[in-house]
Amino acid sequence: MRTKPVLLVIAHGSRDPRHAATVHALVRRVRSLRPGLRVETGFLDFNVPSVRGVLESLAAEGVRDVVALPLLLTRAFHAKADIPAVLREAPARLRIRQAAVLGPSPLLLTALERRLYEAGLTPADKSSTGVVLASAGSSDPEAIAVIAEIAREWRRTGWCAVRPAFASAALPRTEDAVRELRDLGCARVAVAPYVLAPGFLPDRIARGAGEADVLAEVLGPAPEVARVLLQRYDAARAPALAAVGA
C-alpha cells in the first residue's frame, strides 16, 4: 500500500505567542478531520520547529514524500520566494510538492461569515450591513487584486457593501474603509479580518475597527479553514497519484 505523503503546514511565525497557538489549534483540527494523515508544522521565522528542521527530521526517519502547504491566504512574496527557497534546501531524498495557498476559496467566505455571526450579526442583518474585508496587506499587485476580487464576490451574496482594506503596504486602511461604508449609508459596519492568526497586523486591523459596530475574530481554526487545507493537500497529491495509478 502506497504511503500517503506527510502534510507539512508552513506558517510564517511571529513573536506573538497567540500566532503559534492558533496555528497549532488549526493543525489539530486538520488531524481530527483526517485521522491517519500525518501532519507536521514548521515555521519560517520566530518559532520552532523551523521548516528546515522538520524536513531534516522527516528525511532522517526515512520519509520520502511531503506536501508542503503554505499557511497563507494569498500568493505573495512568501509563497513565491521564501518558501520555495527553503524547500530547495531540503534533504535530497525527499520528494516535495508545494501546495497552493489557501485563498481564494468559497469555504473561506463561509468562515468569514461564521466569524461575523459569532460576533453578533445574523443572516437577517446582511442587506443593511457594510463589511470591511481587512487583510494584512502586501506589496504584490497580484495579492492586492485577489483581495479586491474576493470583496466583489462577497458583496454579491447579499451584504449592503463590502470594501477591502489593508493593515500594511496598500490602501485603504481599515478605519478609512469603515468611514466609507458609513458615508455610503449602511446601517451598521462590520470588520472581518481576512487573516489566519493573531499578531501585530491583526492588532492594527482591530484598532482600525474602533468606529465599527462589529469586529469579528480572525479565521483561526475555523472548520472551513481546515477543510481548505485538506483540499489543497489532495490537489497537490493528485498528479503523483495519477502517475502511479493509485
Side-chain angles (χ1 to χ4, degrees):
M1 180 177 177
R2 186 174 176 83
T3 303
K4 295 177 183 177
V6 172
L7 170 56
L8 172 58
V9 175
I10 300 179
H12 182 273
S14 171
R15 292 186 178 90
D16 189 322
R18 297 173 298 168
H19 174 89
T22 302
V23 170
H24 291 310
L26 176 58
V27 168
R28 286 194 296 272
R29 188 176 288 275
V30 171
R31 291 182 180 130
S32 72
L33 291 176
R34 185 84 51 99
L37 172 62
R38 181 172 178 181
V39 187
E40 299 291 341
T41 308
F43 295 91
L44 290 174
D45 207 352
F46 301 117
N47 302 105
V48 291
S50 67
V51 176
R52 184 176 291 105
V54 173
L55 291 171
E56 289 173 353
S57 295
L58 291 172
E61 290 179 30
V63 170
R64 295 297 303 275
D65 293 297
V66 176
V67 170
L69 194 154
L71 197 60
L72 301 167
L73 293 171
T74 59
R75 188 173 175 271
F77 181 79
H78 293 305
K80 294 177 179 178
D82 284 356
I83 291 174
V86 172
L87 297 181
R88 283 194 295 270
E89 297 174 357
R93 68 171 285 118
L94 292 175
R95 291 188 293 258
I96 303 175
R97 293 184 289 282
Q98 182 175 329
V101 298
L102 302 184
S105 167
L107 283 170
L108 294 178
L109 289 181
T110 302
L112 286 166
E113 294 204 1
R114 170 192 290 276
R115 293 301 187 226
L116 286 171
Y117 296 151
E118 289 170 349
L121 292 180
T122 70
D125 296 324
K126 290 186 75 168
S127 63
S128 58
T129 301
V131 179
V132 177
L133 179 68
S135 166
S138 172
S139 59
D140 188 310
E142 177 187 347
I144 297 302
V146 167
I147 298 299
E149 178 56 32
I150 292 170
R152 285 190 290 270
E153 179 181 345
W154 202 15
R155 164 67 182 84
R156 298 187 191 107
T157 67
W159 296 100
C160 173
V162 180
R163 295 289 185 270
F166 307 94
S168 68
L171 297 174
R173 294 288 184 257
T174 302
E175 53 268 35
D176 297 324
V178 169
R179 294 185 190 111
E180 180 185 351
L181 290 171
R182 290 275 187 225
D183 293 341
L184 197 63
C186 298
R188 67 184 62 78
V189 176
V191 174
Y194 190 60
V195 292
L196 288 165
F200 176 76
L201 292 178
D203 283 350
R204 181 180 288 178
I205 289 171
R207 289 193 297 273
E211 296 181 14
D213 301 293
V214 174
L215 171 62
E217 294 291 332
V218 300
L219 292 170
E224 297 86 358
V225 179
R227 287 168 57 196
V228 176
L229 261 73
L230 290 171
Q231 287 181 350
R232 300 293 183 256
Y233 169 81
D234 291 337
R237 278 188 73 206
L241 290 174
V244 298

